[in-house]
Amino acid sequence: MADTLRFDHATAELMPEISTDFAGSLRFERAYSPASWTLPSVASIFSGELPARMRGPDGSLISLPTRTSTLAEELSERGYATVGITANYTVHHENHYSAGFDLFLVPDPKVGQFADITWLRQLALEAASWLDDEDLFLYLQPMEAHDPYRNHETGEALPAPHTGDIVSEAELAALRRAYASEAGYLSRELSRLREELPAFDLEILTSDHGEEFFEHGGFRHGPALYPESVHVPLWIQGAGLSAGQIDQPVSLVGLKDAVVAAAEGVLLGDLTEASLAPLMEERPVTAETFSFGPPRWSLIRDDRQAIFFARPAPPKPAEHPVERWLLEHQPRVLVAPLDGETLDPTERSLMARSVRSLIDQFAGWRRGLYLLFEDGSGGTVRIRGVENEGLVWGDAERIEVSPDGAGLRLDVTSASPFALVLLPALEGEQPTVELAGQKIELEGSTPIRHAGGSVVLWLDAGRPKEEALEVESTLERLRALSYI
């Protein structure tokens, strides 16, 4: 799991050694991480669940929930010794990422820096020697492509700018050279480690996310969901698998089940491409992030990508400079082909699929009232029992949330191409709704289309309280470690 490695840098030109080592691999040309930064992405890969299904009510996903069954746990149940070695101190015992591993080694968070691949290499060799007679699952997460980027030719280390920072062309070129140098160093060291380790029946090279270098005005990873941040390499090779290229979009959410199936195939001496079927299943290929402000969400289908950026409703001042930049510069709705040419955002078939997938993915995320306006619709809705701090995906000529006696008034005019509004429910209250003078009885989570057809609305029950308490206890442990 090469942390922060972009798809377009996992090439024979920039990473010749590891490319040669994986010459016989099945390569997925359009693999996408489920999130644009490490913790939600790795949680999703380990669990096989979408990040939004695991988030706390405040949107945070800094831990792997204990209710999930992890990749390491499932392989352990099948008789594998499980070893995880990560140079990323954020992927830690205290936020449950070590679940299922017999041995899980991670730097001390109080040191505040990532470990070099030489640290990881030595521990991997020791662990493999201890478990020489075992069926072994070995998870390695080097950090060489993460900033600060080290140029191994010049010796300089360059911290990444933040999204919104202005850098010169010369500085940008130096950052890109250093990042490419890191990819080359990673290639040499991974190839060296592979030679020193015993032969494995199945080998996978992938990444948890990519990195931006001002292609869309941003830097690093986390804030945005452009291909530079979520398009990742995925190479898989083993006896019984043929070299080849897969061009259909796939999500790393399917990697857990594919690895488990492949591991069973190894144990039975029957590893074939059919073992990788969970990667190829028909599922929405999505990515999301809550980093720096309201959630951003994306759907990739065929050769197109839709990106939706939620906004606060009503608007409120941004608390962080990156959040301010995002609110000012990121479009609310973007539909684009993956070659970079902008398409008409009202492109109907992808838009309809995207809205349905967005609603499905965030179901259960937060208790509250959802209202969906589409295709130029609008209306005035009076609501009680909800908070005056909501979110809106999509866009409209006008979206306004204002006080209305003991409740709120929501005014939407000319939704284009859609407006999806979430108003969180007040603790212990059942929201009530009045639209065009008519009181609407909400029946659980069943969507109701108003007789006039202007709005579809439904209640979301949210998550059990136990999950919110688990998130808070994890936060307390991580604070004690100076992790956050």
Side-chain angles (χ1 to χ4, degrees), residues 227 303-305 335-344:
D303 58 351
R304 295 166 296 170
Q305 180 181 29
V335 177
L338 291 167
D339 62 9
E341 296 292 330
T342 302
L343 284 177
D344 180 356

Side-chain angles (χ1 to χ4, degrees), residues 254-319:
L255 191 57
K256 173 198 168 186
D257 289 341
V259 172
V260 170
E264 289 180 337
V266 168
L267 292 174
L268 296 172
D270 186 31
L271 175 62
T272 67
E273 275 89 352
S275 303
L276 305 179
L279 265 174
M280 309 293 290
E281 288 178 1
E282 181 68 25
R283 63 158 58 85
V285 178
T286 65
E288 60 176 280
T289 181
F290 284 67
S291 179
F292 300 111
R296 277 123 284 156
W297 179 89
S298 174
L299 175 73
I300 294 150
R301 183 171 179 82
D302 301 324
D303 58 351
R304 295 166 296 170
Q305 180 181 29
I307 301 176
F308 302 153
F309 190 163
R311 296 297 204 273
K316 60 179 181 179
E319 297 179 355

